Amino acid sequence: KAGVTQTPRYLIKTRGQQVTLSCSPISGHRSVSWYQQTPGQGLQFLFEYFSETQRNKGNFPGRFSGRQFSNSRSEMNVSTLELGDSALYLCASSLQQGPYNEQFFGPGTRLTVL
Amino acid sequence: QQQVKQSPQSLIVQKGGISIINCAYENTAFDYFPWYQQFPGKGPALLIAIRPDVSEKKEGRFTISFNKSAKQFSLHIMDSQPGDSATYFCAASSGNTPLVFGKGTRLSVIA
């Protein structure tokens, strides 16, 4: 069974631009969560989607948004990029929503904001 | 506010030795404590997890010890191998909250 795939793997943007990252969960998984990973802050939860609905949201500004499609694929968008948005963005999928369900992480998208 | 504190930040262990990573949490509502392992260029992968109704869980060379009264839990890697060299993250959550991660421990196992 294929794992979680994320595209693109690497991205370079400049301040003020916007970016869209994509995540394809493991087949059959209906929950997708997004995390931001930085050396200073570690892994921080962005949001979780299940059945096309946002179920939980982390403490990030409104510039960070996401959505989930009927096939469970998910996208996250960051508008008006700031230098501090440079990070590894990880997507994780699980069979059902909620933290008790094992999350399978993708390899991440490395975003660099110049 | 960091809800899960992980230590040490980095750890060097001789091959065959025991690696110990500690985490402390604040939220007494937390009832699920997983550990994740991350290799360079890869996403984290679940290693082992524990619920607070047990004080210890062992899977192969990996053991979680849990102390509910002290609000602490730790990962022990017995007979550490160079292939165990990775970054380890502890995490915690309750049913209503997403996973809160520690900041990670970079483990290097040297021969």
Side-chain angles (χ1 to χ4, degrees):
Chain A
K1 187 182 273 190
V4 177
T5 57
Q6 293 187 244
T7 56
R9 291 292 311 276
Y10 302 91
L11 207 48
I12 299 176
K13 292 286 188 179
T14 57
R15 280 181 300 172
Q17 288 186 308
Q18 68 96 28
V19 67
T20 299
L21 312 182
S22 181
C23 171
S24 293
I26 292 172
S27 177
H29 284 197
R30 299 169 60 195
S31 175
V32 173
S33 297
W34 289 88
Y35 295 86
Q36 182 194 65
Q37 184 175 18
T38 59
Q41 297 300 318
L43 278 151
Q44 293 186 288
F45 172 79
L46 280 157
F47 24 66
E48 178 185 17
Y49 285 88
F50 180 80
S51 293
E52 302 178 64
T53 302
Q54 188 180 90
R55 303 292 177 159
N56 229 322
K57 190 177 191 305
N59 190 24
F60 279 82
R63 300 185 296 106
F64 292 81
S65 63
R67 59 178 176 169
Q68 186 180 34
F69 302 96
S70 59
N71 61 358
S72 295
R73 192 177 69 85
S74 178
E75 289 181 347
M76 68 162 280
N77 184 276
V78 188
S79 63
T80 320
L81 284 166
E82 301 178 0
L83 295 179
D85 297 334
S86 294
L88 180 68
Y89 290 88
L90 292 160
C91 164
S93 75
S94 57
L95 279 168
Q96 297 292 331
Q97 70 170 105
Y100 300 147
N101 296 278
E102 181 178 356
Q103 296 189 19
F104 295 81
F105 283 81
T109 293
R110 173 75 61 184
L111 172 64
T112 301
V113 182
L114 302 176
Chain B
Q1 179 188 4
Q2 184 187 2
Q3 298 186 51
V4 178
K5 293 185 179 180
Q6 184 172 346
S7 62
Q9 274 189 304
S10 62
L11 183 61
I12 300 174
V13 173
Q14 292 276 359
K15 179 182 175 182
I18 302 173
S19 303
I20 301 175
I21 304 170
N22 301 298
C23 284
Y25 62 97
E26 300 164 5
N27 188 342
T28 55
F30 286 154
D31 62 359
Y32 176 64
F33 304 90
W35 285 88
Y36 282 81
Q37 179 189 55
Q38 185 178 28
F39 293 104
K42 305 285 187 182
L46 179 65
L47 194 60
I48 185 172
I50 197 168
R51 301 293 288 266
D53 52 341
V54 296
S55 60
E56 187 174 281
K57 183 174 181 180
K58 184 176 181 179
E59 289 186 3
R61 297 184 294 109
F62 300 90
T63 300
I64 299 179
S65 297
F66 182 78
N67 186 329
K68 188 174 181 178
S69 60
K71 292 186 287 183
Q72 295 176 346
F73 58 110
S74 60
L75 176 69
H76 294 231
I77 306 174
M78 312 299 288
D79 186 27
S80 298
Q81 299 296 313
D84 297 330
S85 297
T87 300
Y88 293 82
F89 294 92
C90 63
S93 73
S94 68
N96 299 322
T97 63
L99 287 171
V100 177
F101 285 84
K103 293 196 174 184
T105 297
R106 179 172 289 185
L107 171 65
S108 297
V109 181
I110 56 175

